[in-house]
Amino acid sequence: MADITDKPIISEHSHKKGTPIMGGLAILLSALFVLNVYHEIPILVLTVILMVVSGIVGLFDDLIGLKVKEFQKVVKNKVNEPVKLGRLILKPGDEVRVATPQAKKEVQNLLNQSKLELIREIPIKSEIKESEKIFSQILIGIFLIASGAVSFTIFGINLGLLVIPVAVLGIVGAINAVNLIDGMDGLAAGIVGISSFSCAIFALITGKADVALTFFVLSGLCFGFLVYNRAPASIFMGDTGAFALGGGFAVAAMLGDIIPFAVVSLFVPILSVVISLLHRLKIIKLPVEPLHHTLHYRGFSETKIVILYWSITAIVCLIALTFTLYS
């Protein structure tokens, strides 16, 4: 039988080894159950369909991840002075996973010099290439366009054929934003749950009951999953869940014509994506990517980071809703 448990890719998460993954399947099954009750609401039907399509794409990545690609060294600075390894400066006693090509070239020499101590080796899962992930997400966007459900007029502006790249960018952006923050117990589920609930309230304020119901369903799926995904998580959503939630959120926002508010509500994930892109372009330097792992590396506990991200999301959404009410 295949081992469908987590194989952490950062050493700080080694204690999570063995936690079941692909919990996104539970999210999809719950969405289909809700659809069976509210099958007469077009926006909800299309949202759930795209969630299933997105989730299936993510499922393939999760299944590929069951195979170990390599074993990476976890080393510790054993001397009483800082040691440079790759892009990191290890203080005395610091422990780190050797992940980057530069660090892999340097580590053996530092081990031979007795500056570093080999703590253990951890398995790294196989993953689909980034380009292949993006291509698959573009196909999801094209599937949405092909359904004929996307209007050429978004937020009162007739975009014509420009709606095609806008829709594709929305799908790709939302999936990657949610997937990027799915790295700590309850982080992604909590943020998407808060954002979806806020979008539902916004839709009610603007008189869109069907859109509100769709986002209430999304928030309910997130908060229901959070019961088992909050720290210490007993199950992870995996790419199956992250792709489904990201895709579903984007579809509901586009079909419900509340894109500006939806983008604002996802401020934290979008900011994380921007920071990661700046890091990859070498405009800024992070010791560990993405940002929440950098905060963890700097000494913040996982629980504090998750609460911080949830709080910022809630505050941003509350400000946006207040502005909507009084504008």
Side-chain angles (χ1 to χ4, degrees):
M1 182 179 293
D3 177 14
I4 54 171
T5 58
D6 188 45
K7 301 176 180 64
I9 61 173
I10 62 171
S11 60
E12 293 87 345
H13 289 182
S14 58
H15 62 285
K16 300 181 182 182
K17 181 178 179 180
T19 305
I21 59 173
M22 290 189 282
L25 289 173
I27 294 175
L28 292 178
L29 290 174
S30 299
L32 290 170
F33 176 79
V34 172
L35 182 61
N36 187 53
V37 178
Y38 297 102
H39 57 273
E40 296 180 354
I41 301 176
I43 184 173
L44 180 60
V45 172
L46 286 166
T47 297
V48 172
I49 289 174
L50 262 293
M51 285 182 69
V52 172
V53 172
S54 302
I56 290 173
V57 173
L59 178 62
F60 280 110
D61 193 27
D62 284 334
L63 291 173
I64 290 173
L66 298 178
K67 181 181 179 182
V68 175
K69 179 177 65 175
E70 63 174 307
F71 287 85
Q72 291 185 349
K73 293 180 173 63
V74 177
V75 296
K76 179 179 181 180
N77 180 0
K78 60 183 292 187
V79 295
N80 293 322
E81 60 183 27
V83 174
K84 185 175 184 300
L85 176 64
R87 301 182 70 177
L88 298 177
I89 303 296
L90 306 185
K91 295 180 292 185
D94 275 358
E95 181 181 312
V96 70
R97 174 174 60 92
V98 183
T100 66
Q102 182 181 350
K104 290 177 183 178
K105 291 179 181 178
E106 298 172 354
V107 67
Q108 192 56 52
N109 185 43
L110 292 170
L111 287 170
N112 292 338
Q113 296 176 26
S114 296
K115 291 185 176 181
L116 298 179
E117 175 186 357
L118 178 62
I119 303 299
R120 60 186 177 275
E121 292 186 325
I122 57 175
I124 302 300
K125 66 181 183 179
S126 298
E127 289 187 295
I128 299 175
K129 293 179 180 178
E130 289 294 329
S131 58
E132 294 172 342
K133 280 189 178 183
I134 297 297
F135 179 72
S136 66
Q137 294 160 9
I138 290 174
L139 290 180
I140 295 171
I142 292 174
F143 179 86
L144 174 62
I145 295 296
S147 72
V150 179
S151 171
F152 287 102
T153 301
I154 295 179
F155 214 67
I157 302 174
N158 191 332
L159 297 180
L161 292 178
L162 282 176
V163 76
I164 296 176
V166 169
V168 171
L169 181 62
I171 293 289
V172 173
I175 288 177
N176 277 285
V178 175
N179 196 36
L180 184 69
I181 59 167
D182 182 31
M184 290 183 171
D185 294 353
L187 185 58
I191 288 176
V192 179
I194 294 169
S195 297
S196 296
F197 186 82
S198 301
C199 286
I201 299 301
F202 176 82
L204 284 178
I205 293 172
T206 53
K208 299 179 179 181
D210 55 341
V211 179
L213 176 62
T214 302
F215 276 107
F216 275 132
V217 169
L218 282 174
S219 65
L221 293 172
C222 292
F223 293 140
F225 186 73
L226 198 57
V227 173
Y228 304 96
N229 185 237
R230 71 183 190 280
S234 57
I235 191 169
F236 298 144
M237 69 172 67
D239 283 359
T240 307
F243 276 46
L245 290 178
F249 187 92
V251 171
M254 284 186 281
L255 300 186
D257 199 18
I258 62 166
I259 294 176
F261 185 89
V263 170
V264 171
S265 73
L266 280 185
F267 168 77
V268 171
I270 291 173
L271 178 63
S272 293
V273 170
V274 171
I275 291 175
S276 285
L277 288 175
L278 293 175
H279 167 76
R280 296 183 185 187
L281 293 172
K282 298 184 178 181
I283 297 175
I284 63 174
K285 179 180 178 180
L286 297 177
V288 187
E289 188 196 359
L291 178 61
H292 53 268
H293 287 326
T294 287
L295 294 176
H296 197 211
Y297 175 78
R298 295 300 187 191
F300 287 83
S301 71
E302 182 172 322
T303 300
K304 287 182 179 179
I305 295 170
V306 171
I307 291 175
L308 174 65
Y309 275 46
W310 287 356
S311 300
I312 294 174
T313 301
I315 291 170
V316 169
C317 289
L318 185 60
I319 291 173
L321 286 172
T322 302
F323 179 80
T324 301
L325 281 170
Y326 294 100
S327 61

